[in-house]
Amino acid sequence: MKCPVCNHENGNASFCERCGSNLTPSSPNADTAQDQQSAAAEPEYTRWSSTQATPSHTPISSNTSSAPRPGQHTPDFSSTEGQSSSGDNNTNQWNNIVQNEKVQQAKEVSRQYLSYFLSVLTRPYQTMKTVGEQHSLNGWLTMALIAILSSTYFLITFGRMEMDGLFIGGFIRPLLFTAISLVAAIALIYAILKIEKITFRPKTLVAQFGTLLVPAVVSLVLANLFIVISYSIAIFFLVVSYVIIFVSLNAVLFQYPLNRTKAAIDSMYSVLIANVVLFYILYRLLATMIIGLISLMFSPYGRM
């Protein structure tokens, strides 16, 4: 028989095996008593069922949610900051190392060039015959010094006239013009040797030409120093430096075996053409530069 209170199946028993309710039919008075017994027994069933069910709306305190669980990993922000700071330190140290290496390399190149410069100054032509590709950097450095010293000469000369706005006209333009002239000289030597069908190395050619230009550097240094003392002496050393450029071009060419093959043009004429072209380039560049500076001096906008 099923209990009307807790729905427990009890068989033929008179009372429920679970809640103890009377299972036998009774009179109305007995029904009233049964209802009272059922009411008394209901809290016990309710208590039993509540212990079997899992509460779904149990409140969770804030302390419990914020506390780390035993298996949960909590991020360590202090270690992250330490790693980032150590990474920055490593980057700074690496940058310092690279800068120190560059400084050391620059110092080494300067020392090598100084010793090269002093050795070449005593015997430039003999040294020119022994240089190789490894000296091409020294040749480019010598040409760079010539361009800088030439532009410095014009900047100081016209700067003493108390003119403003001379940096472009008095330094940048002479720098570019002198650099173009030197590159043109190397190109002319290269072209003549190609016409003569002579085997050579371009880097060696640069090294040879730069070696012969070392005296021109000394002449330009003297020209810059004598600007304060005498303009005539300064101009003399400036002219000597440009004459050395022509002499260097011819010296490099004639140390090669010219005219050993039947070229389209005789070697004398090819060398003469190279000198005329270089002279024309220097004349045009210097004339344009000097005329530009003179026009700047007399222009009403020269002092702006």
Side-chain angles (χ1 to χ4, degrees), residues 110-170:
S110 301
R111 285 195 294 267
Q112 291 179 358
Y113 181 77
L114 182 59
S115 60
Y116 159 84
F117 186 89
L118 295 176
S119 62
V120 169
L121 188 59
T122 56
R123 297 181 179 274
Y125 187 76
Q126 292 182 2
T127 308
M128 181 266 297
K129 293 182 177 180
T130 59
V131 295
E133 293 183 349
Q134 67 274 15
H135 298 96
S136 61
L137 178 60
N138 295 328
W140 288 117
L141 290 175
T142 303
M143 287 184 275
L145 286 175
I146 291 175
I148 293 172
L149 291 172
S150 299
S151 56
T152 304
Y153 173 86
F154 288 103
L155 180 64
I156 296 174
T157 301
F158 289 93
R160 295 187 66 187
M161 300 178 183
E162 297 181 355
M163 295 175 56
D164 297 330
L166 280 175
F167 181 74
I168 295 178

Side-chain angles (χ1 to χ4, degrees), residues 171-194:
F171 185 81
I172 299 298
R173 189 176 295 173
L175 180 70
L176 295 176
F177 286 173
T178 307
I180 291 172
S181 302
L182 294 173
V183 173
I186 295 177
L188 290 170
I189 299 172
Y190 182 90
I192 292 175
L193 294 180
K194 281 294 185 180

Side-chain angles (χ1 to χ4, degrees), residues 50-94:
S50 63
T51 57
Q52 301 299 321
T54 303
S56 59
H57 57 279
T58 304
I60 302 175
S61 62
S62 59
N63 295 331
T64 305
S65 61
S66 61
R69 296 180 181 178
Q72 184 178 2
H73 176 70
T74 304
D76 190 356
F77 296 100
S78 61
S79 62
T80 306
E81 294 177 356
Q83 292 176 357
S84 61
S85 61
S86 62
D88 295 337
N89 293 331
N90 293 332
T91 304
N92 294 331
Q93 291 177 359
W94 175 252

Side-chain angles (χ1 to χ4, degrees), residues 10-73:
N10 296 286
N12 295 326
S14 298
F15 297 94
C16 180
E17 296 176 353
R18 177 179 292 175
C19 62
S21 299
N22 189 6
L23 301 178
T24 58
S26 59
S27 60
N29 293 331
D31 292 338
T32 304
Q34 183 178 357
D35 294 337
Q36 292 177 357
Q37 291 177 357
S38 298
E42 185 174 1
E44 183 180 357
Y45 170 74
T46 304
R47 288 194 300 270
W48 177 83
S49 60
S50 63
T51 57
Q52 301 299 321
T54 303
S56 59
H57 57 279
T58 304
I60 302 175
S61 62
S62 59
N63 295 331
T64 305
S65 61
S66 61
R69 296 180 181 178
Q72 184 178 2
H73 176 70

